[in-house]
Amino acid sequence: MKIAVLGSGMVGRTLAIDLVAQHDVTSFDASEYALELLKSKSTAVKTLKADLSAYSAYKQLLEPFDLIVTAVPGFIGYNTLEAVIEAGKNVIDISFFPEDALQLNSLAKKKNVTAIVDCGVAPGVSNLIIGRYNKIMKIESFECYVGGLPKIRKKPFEYKAPFSPIDVIEEYTRPARLKENGQIVIKPALSEIELMDFDDVGTLEAFNTDGLRSILFTMAHIPNLKEKTLRYPGHADLMIVLQKGGFFSNESIRFKQAEIIPLEYTSAVLIKEWKLQPSEEEFTVMKVIVKGNMNNTPKTIEYTMLDRFDVGTQTSSMSRTTGYTCTAMVNAFAEGLFNEIGVFPPELVGNNENCFNYILDYLKQRNVNWIKKEY
Amino acid sequence: MKIAVLGSGMVGRTLAIDLVAQHDVTSFDASEYALELLKSKSTAVKTLKADLSAYSAYKQLLEPFDLIVTAVPGFIGYNTLEAVIEAGKNVIDISFFPEDALQLNSLAKKKNVTAIVDCGVAPGVSNLIIGRYNKIMKIESFECYVGGLPKIRKKPFEYKAPFSPIDVIEEYTRPARLKENGQIVIKPALSEIELMDFDDVGTLEAFNTDGLRSILFTMAHIPNLKEKTLRYPGHADLMIVLQKGGFFSNESIRFKQAEIIPLEYTSAVLIKEWKLQPSEEEFTVMKVIVKGNMNNTPKTIEYTMLDRFDVGTQTSSMSRTTGYTCTAMVNAFAEGLFNEIGVFPPELVGNNENCFNYILDYLKQRNVNWIKKEY
C-alpha cells in the first residue's frame, strides 16, 4: 500500500519506520529537523515537508495514497482527521485529540471511508480488549491501569514525560469521568490513590484520571468503568500540593506589568525536571481487568503488559506500545480484516476476533507482550 | 522620653502603642494608610508621613528626639540604622536586615551613641538568654527552636506569613550556618528535619535555617550552636519539593518574551495560600536550651515561650513577642540599665543581669511568658 504518515514526531517516526518494511511510506511534517531525524534512522521512508494545517491542500496532497495515518499533535488532531476524511481517504489515527471523533461518523459514511481512531495503547489496546470481551461475555466491570515511567527514579517527582508538562498537568486537573453501578460519576483527577504491585516493577500508585473517552458512550450498558493512571508512589500527593498551592491555576496573576497564568509558567519551570531525554530509559506498564459472566459463569479476564525502552534502536517504550498498535491496525486494515465504513474507536474493531488476535500477535512479534490471565 | 519610631508596619505599630503609655512617641512612615491605621488604634501616638529613605534629612528630622526605634523593612534596615547613628542618636533596632550591624560599631563609638540591634524574639530573646548564661556558666551547647504558626491548619502547607512569601522562601534557601564541636559548618536550609513535642501545641517539626546571626561571632568560644525553625510536620518536605522542582530558583526562565525568575513568580502564586489575614489567629512557639557547666556541675537551662494572638486588641503574637521585646529594651535603656557606647546585639546586653531580668519581667507584664526549667 501507498501510505502517508502525517506527523513525524516521536510516535509518527516510529510507526513510519515500522510500516516501511511492508509498504510504500511517505512521512509529512512541518519540521525539517523531524524529517532529517527520521531519514537518519530509515532511508526507505520518503519525507515531504508540508504545513499540515493547510487543510484545503489535503485533497491534492493525499491524492496518491491508499491510506493515511495521522500522528499530529492533539490540538490539531480533530481538524486534521476531518480534512483527511473530507479528502475521501481511509485513515488510522493516533493523535489523541480532545474532541469526539464520532462527530465525524456521518461525514465518513458520506465519503465512504474507514476511519479508526485512538489506535494507541490507552486508549487503544484497552479499547480493543473491552470490545473483544463485550462480544463474548456480559461485562460487569472494566478497569484499566496505565502509566509511562522513567527507569531511573529521581526525587521528588520520580516522573518524566516525552511531551510538555502542560499536557500532563492537564490530565491532573481535568475531572475524571467514570462509571459506578450504572451511573456516570465525576471525581477529581488525582483522587482515590491506591497502591498496586506489578511484577518486575514493584509497587506503584494508581489514581483517577479522565481516560475512558469513547468507552463511556460505546459501552454505556456496562455498569462499572474506570481508568487510572500509574505513577511511582507519592507523585500524586505532590501534584495535589502544587494544585492546592495554586500552581496549576488557569487564572492569570498580575506580575511585573504582565498577566501570567500559573499553569503555563509552572510548565516552563517543571520542564527542567520532567523532560524525558531522547536516550533516557523508560517503560510502559498496563493492566486491564474485565469482570463479568461468560456462559452464566463468573469470569475475570486480566491482560498485563510491561514494555521497556529499546536500547538497540533507541526507541522509547511509549513509541513502541502506541506506535506498533497503530501499525498493527494499519496492517489489519491493509489485509482486509476490517472494512466497515464510518468512524470507529478501537472497541468497535476489537469485537472482531480476527482483528483482535491479529493486533496482539503483531505486537508480540515486536516484543510488546500482552499476557492474559483468565479465572 | 521623646521617642521616634521609624516604620509603622505591623510590628512598628504595636511597639509605638506600647511605648506611648510612658513616653512621647512619634511614628514615621511613608504610607498614609499605615499611619491612619495606627491612629485608629491609638490617638496618643503622633504620626508624621516621611520618606524614610531620604537619609540626608535624618539629622534635622530626628533632632527633637531622645531615642530612635527603627522598625523598617529589612532591605533598608542597615542604611536606616547607619543614618540614625550618623545623626548622633541612640537607637534600638528591630528591622532584621541581612548585613552585619557590628560594621557600624566604630561609627557609633565616634558618634558616642548606643545602638542595640536585633531586639525581637529570635533574634532577640534567644540572644539575651545566651548572653545571660554565658556570663555565669561554661556553655557547651546552645539550641534555639522557633516558629510562628497559624492556629488553623490548612493543607497542604499549614503555614501563613505576615510578610511576603519571598522572605520566607529566602529562609528556606539560604544555607544554614551552625557550629558543631567548635567548627562552623554549613548545612542546607530545610535539612535535618526532626519532630518535637510542645505543650499545648502538639508535635511540630524543626529544621535548619540560618538564624544564628551575630551569635556565631560574639559567642565564638561556644562549641555547639544551632537554630532551627518550627513548622507543622510535613511543611519542610513540601518546600524541598518546590525547591527541587525549580520553583525557588533565582535563575530566570524565558517565558513569553519575558525573563521571569521562578522565586519571584512562586511568591506571587503562594501569597494566596500563605497570606496571614489581619484577624487570623496565630501563635509563636519557642524553646531555647543551654547546656554546659555551672560551678563545675553539668547544668541545662531551658526557656520556653508560647504566645497567642490577642483577640481583644487584634494584635498578632508575632508583633507581641517581637515588639514587646523591643519596647522592653527601650525602657531598660530609658531607665539607665544599659548605657554602653557602640553597636550591641542582645547577647551583649543580656550579660547584664538587671537588663535581662527587666526585659523578661516586662514581657511577663504583657503576658508573654518565658518559662524557665533548670536541671
Side-chain angles (χ1 to χ4, degrees):
Chain A
M1 265 191 169
K2 255 180 95 69
I3 298 176
V5 177
L6 306 191
S8 298
M10 195 176 79
V11 174
R13 182 172 72 237
T14 301
L15 60 84
I17 294 168
D18 188 43
L19 287 172
V20 82
Q22 292 168 275
H23 303 279
D24 178 340
V25 178
T26 305
S27 277
F28 293 75
D29 204 287
S31 157
E32 200 97 59
Y33 172 78
L35 296 174
E36 286 303 320
L37 187 59
L38 170 54
K39 274 197 257 187
S40 77
K41 298 199 171 218
S42 164
T43 50
V45 177
K46 293 168 207 156
T47 60
L48 201 57
K49 191 180 171 192
D51 173 8
L52 294 176
S53 64
Y55 301 121
S56 59
Y58 272 36
K59 184 103 192 160
Q60 201 187 343
L61 192 74
L62 304 182
E63 200 282 322
F65 299 98
D66 304 313
L67 177 66
I68 317 300
V69 177
T70 46
V72 297
F75 69 94
I76 59 162
Y78 183 87
N79 289 342
T80 301
L81 180 64
E82 185 176 29
V84 173
I85 295 173
E86 188 67 52
K89 292 291 176 182
N90 295 318
V91 54
I92 313 289
D93 173 79
I94 196 176
S95 303
F96 305 130
F97 45 80
E99 297 90 345
D100 176 13
L102 292 169
Q103 303 274 331
L104 299 171
N105 193 35
S106 55
L107 178 67
K109 284 185 166 161
K110 191 179 123 196
K111 293 286 180 176
N112 201 38
V113 304
T114 302
I116 309 176
V117 298
D118 281 353
C119 291
V121 62
V125 177
S126 47
N127 304 52
L128 289 167
I129 292 169
I130 195 171
R132 168 82 185 106
Y133 289 91
N134 180 58
K135 182 93 179 245
I136 55 174
M137 50 189 284
K138 183 171 162 29
I139 300 178
E140 269 300 308
S141 78
F142 165 84
E143 300 163 44
C144 175
Y145 304 91
V146 60
L149 289 165
K151 180 180 172 185
I152 302 300
R153 298 168 67 157
K154 180 165 175 283
K155 290 277 183 188
F157 302 115
E158 299 191 319
Y159 180 68
K160 295 285 177 113
F163 28 81
S164 165
I166 210 164
D167 294 329
V168 182
I169 296 170
E170 213 273 319
E171 286 177 28
Y172 292 165
T173 48
R174 192 172 68 236
R177 294 163 300 167
L178 46 154
K179 221 169 150 198
E180 291 180 344
N181 302 314
Q183 302 294 317
I184 289 186
V185 292
I186 295 176
K187 300 190 179 184
L190 300 167
S191 63
E192 298 182 319
I193 302 166
E194 60 185 313
L195 295 177
M196 296 177 72
D197 294 336
F198 290 86
D199 291 346
D200 298 322
V201 171
T203 303
L204 299 177
E205 68 180 12
F207 50 82
N208 288 322
T209 44
D210 189 52
L212 288 170
R213 297 167 64 96
S214 59
I215 285 176
L216 276 172
F217 310 104
T218 59
M219 298 286 149
H221 59 285
I222 299 177
N224 297 287
L225 300 167
K226 70 174 169 186
E227 180 170 315
K228 292 179 115 170
T229 291
L230 299 171
R231 295 287 183 262
Y232 287 118
H235 181 82
D237 275 341
L238 299 185
M239 294 304 103
I240 291 169
V241 166
L242 290 180
Q243 186 194 31
K244 291 208 187 291
F247 292 94
F248 293 168
S249 169
N250 253 316
E251 279 176 46
S252 71
I253 288 177
R254 184 109 195 128
F255 182 79
K256 296 196 173 178
Q257 281 84 51
E259 290 288 334
I260 294 177
I261 294 168
L263 170 61
E264 292 182 358
Y265 188 69
T266 294
S267 180
V269 172
L270 284 177
I271 204 158
K272 288 189 184 179
E273 280 290 309
W274 284 18
K275 183 70 191 164
L276 184 76
Q277 300 305 317
S279 62
E280 197 171 346
E281 295 188 38
E282 39 72 78
F283 62 90
T284 308
V285 57
M286 188 162 160
K287 178 177 284 192
V288 175
I289 304 169
V290 175
K291 289 182 185 161
N293 280 281
M294 195 185 281
N295 306 322
N296 292 317
T297 310
K299 174 74 80 181
T300 298
I301 306 289
E302 217 180 278
Y303 273 93
T304 56
M305 185 271 289
L306 172 61
D307 181 68
R308 297 184 185 279
F309 183 86
D310 185 328
V311 178
T313 62
Q314 293 282 301
T315 307
S316 70
S317 166
M318 199 259 191
S319 306
R320 290 167 44 76
T321 54
T322 54
Y324 296 158
T325 305
C326 180
T327 55
M329 192 70 88
V330 167
N331 281 299
F333 178 81
E335 298 197 10
L337 295 177
F338 187 87
N339 52 21
E340 295 180 44
I341 297 303
V343 174
F344 302 91
E347 63 271 25
L348 302 183
V349 178
N351 60 10
N352 176 325
E353 187 178 357
N354 289 337
C355 268
F356 181 83
N357 291 334
Y358 181 92
I359 291 168
L360 263 58
D361 281 350
Y362 188 98
L363 287 167
K364 192 173 187 175
Q365 285 164 33
R366 279 147 191 81
N367 205 27
V368 177
N369 297 302
W370 284 91
I371 311 296
K372 179 182 170 185
K373 274 204 271 184
E374 190 174 335
Y375 50 93
Chain B
M1 265 192 168
K2 257 180 93 72
I3 299 177
V5 178
L6 306 190
S8 298
M10 195 175 78
V11 174
R13 182 172 70 235
T14 300
L15 60 85
I17 294 169
D18 188 42
L19 288 172
V20 84
Q22 292 168 274
H23 303 280
D24 178 341
V25 178
T26 305
S27 277
F28 293 76
D29 205 288
S31 157
E32 200 94 59
Y33 172 77
L35 296 174
E36 286 301 321
L37 186 60
L38 171 53
K39 273 197 257 187
S40 76
K41 298 199 173 219
S42 165
T43 50
V45 178
K46 293 167 208 156
T47 60
L48 201 56
K49 192 180 171 191
D51 173 9
L52 295 175
S53 64
Y55 301 119
S56 59
Y58 271 37
K59 184 102 191 160
Q60 201 187 341
L61 193 72
L62 304 181
E63 199 282 322
F65 299 98
D66 304 312
L67 177 67
I68 317 299
V69 177
T70 46
V72 297
F75 69 94
I76 60 164
Y78 184 86
N79 289 342
T80 300
L81 181 64
E82 184 175 29
V84 173
I85 295 173
E86 188 67 51
K89 293 292 176 182
N90 295 319
V91 54
I92 314 289
D93 173 79
I94 195 176
S95 303
F96 306 130
F97 46 80
E99 298 89 345
D100 177 14
L102 292 169
Q103 303 274 332
L104 299 171
N105 193 36
S106 54
L107 178 66
K109 285 187 166 158
K110 191 179 123 198
K111 293 286 180 177
N112 200 39
V113 305
T114 302
I116 309 176
V117 298
D118 281 353
C119 291
V121 62
V125 177
S126 48
N127 304 52
L128 289 167
I129 293 169
I130 195 171
R132 168 81 186 107
Y133 288 92
N134 181 57
K135 182 94 180 245
I136 55 175
M137 47 188 287
K138 183 170 163 33
I139 301 178
E140 269 299 308
S141 78
F142 164 85
E143 301 164 43
C144 175
Y145 305 91
V146 60
L149 289 166
K151 180 180 172 186
I152 302 299
R153 298 169 66 157
K154 181 167 176 281
K155 289 278 183 189
F157 301 114
E158 300 191 319
Y159 180 69
K160 293 286 176 112
F163 27 82
S164 165
I166 209 163
D167 293 330
V168 182
I169 296 170
E170 213 274 318
E171 286 176 28
Y172 292 165
T173 48
R174 191 172 69 237
R177 294 162 300 167
L178 47 155
K179 220 168 151 200
E180 291 180 344
N181 303 314
Q183 302 295 316
I184 289 185
V185 292
I186 294 175
K187 300 191 179 182
L190 301 168
S191 63
E192 298 183 318
I193 301 165
E194 60 184 313
L195 295 178
M196 295 177 73
D197 295 336
F198 290 86
D199 292 345
D200 297 322
V201 171
T203 304
L204 299 176
E205 69 180 13
F207 50 83
N208 288 322
T209 44
D210 189 52
L212 289 170
R213 297 168 63 98
S214 59
I215 285 176
L216 276 171
F217 310 105
T218 59
M219 298 288 149
H221 59 285
I222 299 177
N224 297 288
L225 299 167
K226 69 174 169 185
E227 180 171 315
K228 293 179 112 170
T229 291
L230 299 171
R231 294 287 184 261
Y232 289 118
H235 181 83
D237 275 342
L238 299 185
M239 295 303 103
I240 292 168
V241 167
L242 290 181
Q243 185 194 32
K244 290 206 185 296
F247 291 94
F248 293 168
S249 169
N250 254 316
E251 279 176 46
S252 70
I253 288 178
R254 185 110 195 126
F255 182 78
K256 296 196 173 178
Q257 279 84 51
E259 290 288 334
I260 294 178
I261 294 168
L263 171 61
E264 294 182 358
Y265 188 69
T266 294
S267 181
V269 171
L270 285 177
I271 204 160
K272 288 189 185 181
E273 280 290 310
W274 284 18
K275 181 73 190 162
L276 184 75
Q277 299 306 316
S279 60
E280 198 172 347
E281 295 188 37
E282 39 72 80
F283 63 90
T284 307
V285 57
M286 187 161 161
K287 179 176 282 190
V288 176
I289 304 168
V290 175
K291 289 182 187 163
N293 281 281
M294 195 185 281
N295 306 323
N296 292 318
T297 310
K299 173 74 80 183
T300 298
I301 306 289
E302 216 179 280
Y303 275 93
T304 54
M305 184 271 290
L306 171 61
D307 181 68
R308 298 184 184 279
F309 183 85
D310 185 328
V311 178
T313 62
Q314 293 282 301
T315 307
S316 71
S317 166
M318 199 259 189
S319 307
R320 289 168 44 78
T321 54
T322 55
Y324 296 157
T325 306
C326 182
T327 55
M329 191 71 88
V330 167
N331 281 300
F333 179 79
E335 297 197 10
L337 295 178
F338 187 86
N339 51 22
E340 295 179 45
I341 299 300
V343 173
F344 301 91
E347 62 272 25
L348 302 183
V349 178
N351 59 11
N352 177 324
E353 187 178 358
N354 289 338
C355 267
F356 182 82
N357 291 336
Y358 180 93
I359 291 168
L360 263 57
D361 282 348
Y362 189 97
L363 287 167
K364 192 173 187 175
Q365 285 163 31
R366 279 146 191 81
N367 205 26
V368 176
N369 297 302
W370 284 92
I371 311 296
K372 179 183 171 184
K373 274 203 271 184
E374 190 173 336
Y375 48 93

